[in-house]
Amino acid sequence: MLLTYFSLFLAATIVFILLLAAYCVSSRSARDREKQSPFECGFDPKSSARLPFSLRFFLLSVIFLVFDIEIALLLPAPMMIFWGSKTFIICIMIFLLILTIGTLHEWNQGSLNWVYNKHTT
């Protein structure tokens, strides 16, 4: 009986010491203030939040996301063409046609230009 109480006391003491050690190790200090501050996209969070944002960059990133998703949709195409699924081949051809028309439209509108040129707008 005494051994059971001693084991329980020893286990509780070990748990308390581990919790205390974890708290001491994980406590924040004043020197970590810079690490704890938010950092996003190279903008300093202490300045104004109304910084100018490039709409051109936003449109280019949306176009990149669309093309990134299309690659994920086209990955099973070679396997399905190998298996000979005619319905899938027709769907892939329609999908590629829509993507080609969309790419040509974006190119015609000048959205795929990496450098802003004042003379093209």
Side-chain angles (χ1 to χ4, degrees):
M1 181 89 155
L2 186 61
L3 186 60
T4 307
Y5 287 131
F6 179 72
S7 302
L8 188 60
F9 176 73
L10 185 63
T13 305
I14 291 173
V15 168
F16 179 73
I17 289 172
L18 287 176
L19 285 174
L20 186 64
Y23 176 74
C24 290
V25 169
S26 68
S27 65
R28 296 181 181 151
S29 64
R31 66 171 197 238
D32 292 337
R33 186 179 308 150
E34 195 64 35
K35 288 183 182 179
Q36 298 300 327
S37 68
F39 182 77
E40 184 179 352
C41 300
F43 294 117
D44 186 14
K46 295 178 179 114
S47 65
S48 173
R50 300 279 185 197
L51 294 173
F53 182 73
S54 174
L55 185 62
R56 222 170 147 70
F57 172 75
F58 176 73
L59 290 175
L60 191 63
S61 64
V62 169
I63 291 170
F64 170 76
L65 286 175
V66 167
F67 285 112
D68 198 32
I69 299 288
E70 87 183 30
I71 290 192
L73 292 174
L74 288 175
L75 280 176
M79 185 65 71
M80 294 304 287
I81 290 172
F82 178 71
W83 285 344
S85 174
K86 290 185 170 87
T87 306
F88 188 77
I89 292 173
I90 292 171
C91 289
I92 288 295
M93 292 301 211
I94 292 172
F95 184 67
L96 286 174
L97 179 67
I98 291 171
L99 288 178
T100 304
I101 291 171
T103 304
L104 292 175
H105 176 71
E106 293 295 330
W107 190 4
N108 188 29
Q109 294 296 317
S111 297
L112 298 177
N113 292 336
W114 289 90
V115 180
Y116 179 70
N117 190 355
K118 292 181 182 177
H119 301 294
T120 60
T121 57

